Amino acid sequence: QVQLVESGGGLVQAGGSLRLSCAASGRTSSIRAMGWFRQAPGKEREFVASLMWRGTSTYYADSVKGRFTISRDNAKNTVYLQMNSLKPEDTAVYYCAAGRDLLSLTLKRQPGSWNYWGQGTQVTISS
C-alpha cells in the first residue's frame, strides 16, 4: 500500500553531518505522519524524530534535540533527517516510518504505532 525507501546513509567522522532521505510511493494519500527510528546492534529500535504530514508539528527524542532536524517536501513525498554534530553513539541502522492516523506525535514514540517501514540505511560514525 505504501512503500518507503531510505537513502543517504554512510560513514562519517564524529562532528560531521549527514542527510537522510525517505521517499514514499504507493497510496501516499493515506499518510498522516512520518518518522525516523534507529536501531544499534543489540539494542531495541528507538524513536528519533517525527512530523505531521500536514501542518507544522515536529517532535524529537531528547538525545538528538538541537542536532537533528526533520523536514518534508510534500510535492516529492519525501521526508528528510538532517543530522549534525554526529557522535559515535549515533551509529545505527536508521529506519523511516509512515503512519495513517492523526494521533499526537508524542503518542507515537513506539515502533508499533506506525504502519509502514522502510528497509533501513546504515549510519556509522567513527571517532
Side-chain angles (χ1 to χ4, degrees):
Q1 191 172 20
V2 173
Q3 296 79 46
L4 305 173
V5 180
E6 303 97 333
S7 62
L11 175 62
V12 182
Q13 291 185 339
S17 298
L18 206 60
R19 189 177 80 156
L20 306 182
S21 298
C22 174
S25 60
R27 196 176 178 182
T28 58
S29 61
S30 67
I31 297 175
R32 300 293 179 267
M34 298 284 288
W36 288 96
F37 289 73
R38 65 187 183 185
Q39 188 167 20
K43 295 186 177 180
E44 296 182 347
R45 189 168 298 187
E46 68 171 348
F47 168 78
V48 175
S50 62
L51 56 70
M52 299 302 293
W53 197 236
R54 300 172 183 82
T56 59
S57 295
T58 60
Y59 184 59
Y60 296 91
D62 289 341
S63 60
V64 306
K65 197 174 301 180
R67 299 189 298 123
F68 292 9
T69 303
I70 188 170
S71 61
R72 67 175 186 255
D73 186 335
N74 296 83
K76 295 181 178 180
N77 291 319
T78 300
V79 64
Y80 305 94
L81 185 67
Q82 179 66 48
M83 304 184 293
N84 299 326
S85 302
L86 286 163
K87 306 174 181 179
E89 49 262 46
D90 294 318
T91 294
V93 176
Y94 282 70
Y95 296 91
C96 176
R100 298 192 302 262
D101 60 74
L102 289 170
L103 292 172
S104 171
L105 296 177
T106 61
L107 301 178
K108 297 180 70 68
R109 300 182 77 255
Q110 295 299 317
S113 66
W114 298 82
N115 303 107
Y116 307 102
W117 293 88
Q119 293 297 107
T121 185
Q122 177 70 49
V123 171
T124 303
I125 312 302
S126 62
S127 300

Short mmCIF file of all heavy atoms in Angstrom, two decimals, residues 9 13 37 46 50 54 57 60 65 78 80 83 97 103 105 120:
data_model
loop_
_atom_site.label_atom_id
_atom_site.label_comp_id
_atom_site.label_asym_id
_atom_site.label_seq_id
_atom_site.Cartn_x
_atom_site.Cartn_y
_atom_site.Cartn_z
N GLY A 9 22.64 7.17 3.89
CA GLY A 9 23.50 6.67 4.95
C GLY A 9 24.94 6.53 4.49
O GLY A 9 25.23 6.59 3.30
N GLN A 13 32.92 10.92 10.08
CA GLN A 13 33.67 11.14 11.30
C GLN A 13 32.84 11.90 12.32
O GLN A 13 31.92 12.66 11.97
CB GLN A 13 34.96 11.91 11.01
CG GLN A 13 35.99 11.13 10.23
CD GLN A 13 37.29 11.89 10.07
OE1 GLN A 13 37.33 13.12 10.18
NE2 GLN A 13 38.36 11.16 9.82
N PHE A 37 13.33 6.27 13.05
CA PHE A 37 13.76 5.45 14.17
C PHE A 37 15.16 4.95 13.88
O PHE A 37 15.62 4.98 12.74
CB PHE A 37 12.81 4.27 14.39
CG PHE A 37 11.46 4.65 14.94
CD1 PHE A 37 10.52 5.28 14.15
CD2 PHE A 37 11.13 4.36 16.26
CE1 PHE A 37 9.28 5.63 14.64
CE2 PHE A 37 9.88 4.69 16.77
CZ PHE A 37 8.96 5.33 15.96
N GLU A 46 14.64 2.54 18.56
CA GLU A 46 14.27 3.72 19.33
C GLU A 46 13.83 4.87 18.44
O GLU A 46 14.31 5.05 17.33
CB GLU A 46 15.42 4.17 20.23
CG GLU A 46 16.62 4.73 19.50
CD GLU A 46 17.64 5.36 20.42
OE1 GLU A 46 17.33 5.58 21.61
OE2 GLU A 46 18.77 5.65 19.95
N SER A 50 9.90 12.90 14.40
CA SER A 50 8.69 12.70 13.62
C SER A 50 8.06 14.04 13.27
O SER A 50 8.37 15.06 13.88
CB SER A 50 7.68 11.82 14.38
OG SER A 50 7.28 12.43 15.59
N ARG A 54 0.86 17.11 7.26
CA ARG A 54 0.28 18.42 7.02
C ARG A 54 0.27 19.19 8.33
O ARG A 54 -0.09 18.65 9.37
CB ARG A 54 -1.14 18.30 6.46
CG ARG A 54 -1.21 17.53 5.14
CD ARG A 54 -2.65 17.26 4.74
NE ARG A 54 -2.73 16.48 3.51
CZ ARG A 54 -2.62 15.16 3.47
NH1 ARG A 54 -2.42 14.47 4.58
NH2 ARG A 54 -2.71 14.52 2.31
N SER A 57 3.74 20.52 13.09
CA SER A 57 4.17 19.79 14.27
C SER A 57 5.39 18.92 14.00
O SER A 57 5.42 18.18 13.02
CB SER A 57 3.04 18.93 14.82
OG SER A 57 1.96 19.73 15.26
N TYR A 60 11.00 15.48 18.71
CA TYR A 60 12.33 14.91 18.72
C TYR A 60 12.62 14.18 20.02
O TYR A 60 12.16 14.58 21.09
CB TYR A 60 13.39 16.00 18.56
CG TYR A 60 13.35 16.73 17.25
CD1 TYR A 60 12.59 17.89 17.11
CD2 TYR A 60 14.08 16.28 16.16
CE1 TYR A 60 12.56 18.57 15.91
CE2 TYR A 60 14.05 16.96 14.96
CZ TYR A 60 13.29 18.11 14.84
OH TYR A 60 13.27 18.78 13.65
N LYS A 65 17.81 16.20 20.06
CA LYS A 65 17.28 17.56 20.02
C LYS A 65 18.41 18.57 19.94
O LYS A 65 19.38 18.51 20.69
CB LYS A 65 16.42 17.80 21.26
CG LYS A 65 15.50 19.00 21.16
CD LYS A 65 14.57 19.08 22.37
CE LYS A 65 13.71 17.84 22.50
NZ LYS A 65 12.81 17.89 23.69
N THR A 78 8.55 13.12 0.22
CA THR A 78 9.83 12.79 0.81
C THR A 78 10.00 13.47 2.16
O THR A 78 9.64 14.64 2.32
CB THR A 78 10.98 13.19 -0.12
OG1 THR A 78 10.86 12.49 -1.37
CG2 THR A 78 12.33 12.86 0.50
N TYR A 80 13.02 14.15 5.25
CA TYR A 80 14.46 14.20 5.42
C TYR A 80 14.82 14.22 6.90
O TYR A 80 14.04 14.64 7.75
CB TYR A 80 15.04 15.46 4.77
CG TYR A 80 14.68 15.63 3.32
CD1 TYR A 80 13.58 16.39 2.93
CD2 TYR A 80 15.44 15.02 2.32
CE1 TYR A 80 13.25 16.54 1.60
CE2 TYR A 80 15.12 15.17 0.99
CZ TYR A 80 14.03 15.93 0.63
OH TYR A 80 13.70 16.08 -0.69
N MET A 83 21.28 15.49 10.00
CA MET A 83 21.99 15.12 11.22
C MET A 83 23.30 15.88 11.28
O MET A 83 24.17 15.72 10.42
CB MET A 83 22.24 13.61 11.25
CG MET A 83 20.98 12.77 11.11
SD MET A 83 21.28 11.00 11.29
CE MET A 83 22.26 10.70 9.81
N ALA A 97 9.53 5.62 8.83
CA ALA A 97 8.22 5.06 9.13
C ALA A 97 7.12 6.02 8.71
O ALA A 97 7.31 7.23 8.71
CB ALA A 97 8.09 4.75 10.62
N LEU A 103 -2.95 10.73 15.51
CA LEU A 103 -2.58 10.81 16.92
C LEU A 103 -1.48 11.84 17.12
O LEU A 103 -0.66 12.07 16.23
CB LEU A 103 -2.11 9.46 17.43
CG LEU A 103 -3.15 8.34 17.53
CD1 LEU A 103 -2.48 7.03 17.87
CD2 LEU A 103 -4.20 8.68 18.57
N LEU A 105 1.95 13.37 18.00
CA LEU A 105 3.27 12.78 17.79
C LEU A 105 3.88 12.28 19.09
O LEU A 105 4.68 11.35 19.07
CB LEU A 105 4.20 13.80 17.13
CG LEU A 105 3.81 14.26 15.73
CD1 LEU A 105 4.79 15.31 15.22
CD2 LEU A 105 3.75 13.08 14.77
N GLY A 120 15.71 0.44 5.84
CA GLY A 120 16.76 0.95 6.69
C GLY A 120 18.01 1.33 5.92
O GLY A 120 18.29 0.79 4.85
#
